[in-house]
Amino acid sequence: MKGEKEMATNPWKRTLCNLDLLLAVACLACLITLTFVGVFMRYLFNNPIAWQDEIQMTLIIWVTCFAGSAAFRTGGHIAIDLVVDLFPKAVQRWTGIVIFLISAFVLGFLAWNSMGFVMQQIGNHRVTDVLKFPRALVYAPVPLCSVLMILSFAKTTWREFQEKEVIKDAG
């Protein structure tokens, strides 16, 4: 609780904790701007931007990863709990743990394999075709944000588990 109060009053800490969200918003703004300018250049001036596809692909990957990380941190991901709500309270508590374990396994698998892919891109000195931008930087957010998603989901799952424990004890 102390850490959350300190984060609310300390703007530097709040900014650092929301860095994934800020990066996602910045990348999305750049993606929208680049797409608009690209359409403008292609259809009004008949002069398309040659490197637009490379940057758009990078920005889509970055927006997806950083926004996913922020969604896991804030609990903003889609959760269909219609079936879970039909179970008794004791089963509902443990269902959250099972869902976390499955999600952590899938995200861990993604982190591990995407890290291997990034390392392969580094080892082979792969660059993008037009801008000669290192491909490893294009895909680097995937393993990073996968780990952040696991950590964020673990924290929210633990918090929910404790809250349900308190409710059970009070009832």
Side-chain angles (χ1 to χ4, degrees), residues 20-166:
D20 52 359
L21 183 59
L22 295 173
L23 287 170
V25 168
C27 290
L28 183 61
C30 289
L31 178 62
I32 291 169
T33 302
L34 179 61
T35 302
F36 177 77
V37 170
V39 168
F40 191 74
M41 293 296 293
R42 177 179 299 272
Y43 292 108
L44 288 175
F45 293 111
N46 199 24
N47 186 18
I49 303 170
W51 45 266
Q52 180 178 0
D53 289 345
E54 288 181 2
I55 298 298
Q56 284 176 317
M57 179 189 68
T58 301
L59 291 172
I60 289 170
I61 292 169
W62 287 18
V63 166
T64 303
C65 291
F66 291 121
S69 176
F72 269 89
R73 184 174 36 76
T74 60
H77 51 77
I78 295 175
I80 303 172
D81 53 5
L82 179 68
V83 176
V84 175
D85 288 344
L86 297 174
F87 295 137
K89 296 293 182 190
V91 175
Q92 288 180 20
R93 282 184 44 225
W94 291 100
T95 304
I97 300 294
V98 171
I99 290 170
F100 164 72
L101 292 173
I102 293 169
S103 299
F105 175 77
V106 171
L107 289 168
F109 182 81
L110 177 63
W112 180 261
N113 286 297
S114 60
M115 189 63 199
F117 182 73
V118 169
M119 296 307 290
Q120 182 182 33
Q121 299 298 310
I122 292 170
N124 292 335
H125 305 291
R126 295 289 312 264
V127 294
T128 60
D129 297 328
V130 178
L131 293 175
K132 306 300 182 206
F133 187 73
R135 282 202 184 268
L137 292 178
V138 172
Y139 299 106
V142 178
L144 170 68
C145 291
S146 296
V147 170
L148 290 175
M149 286 181 214
I150 292 170
L151 295 174
S152 296
F153 198 28
K155 183 178 178 184
T156 56
T157 302
W158 178 251
R159 185 178 300 145
E160 288 174 6
F161 187 79
Q162 286 180 321
E163 287 173 3
K164 289 179 182 176
E165 186 74 25
V166 168

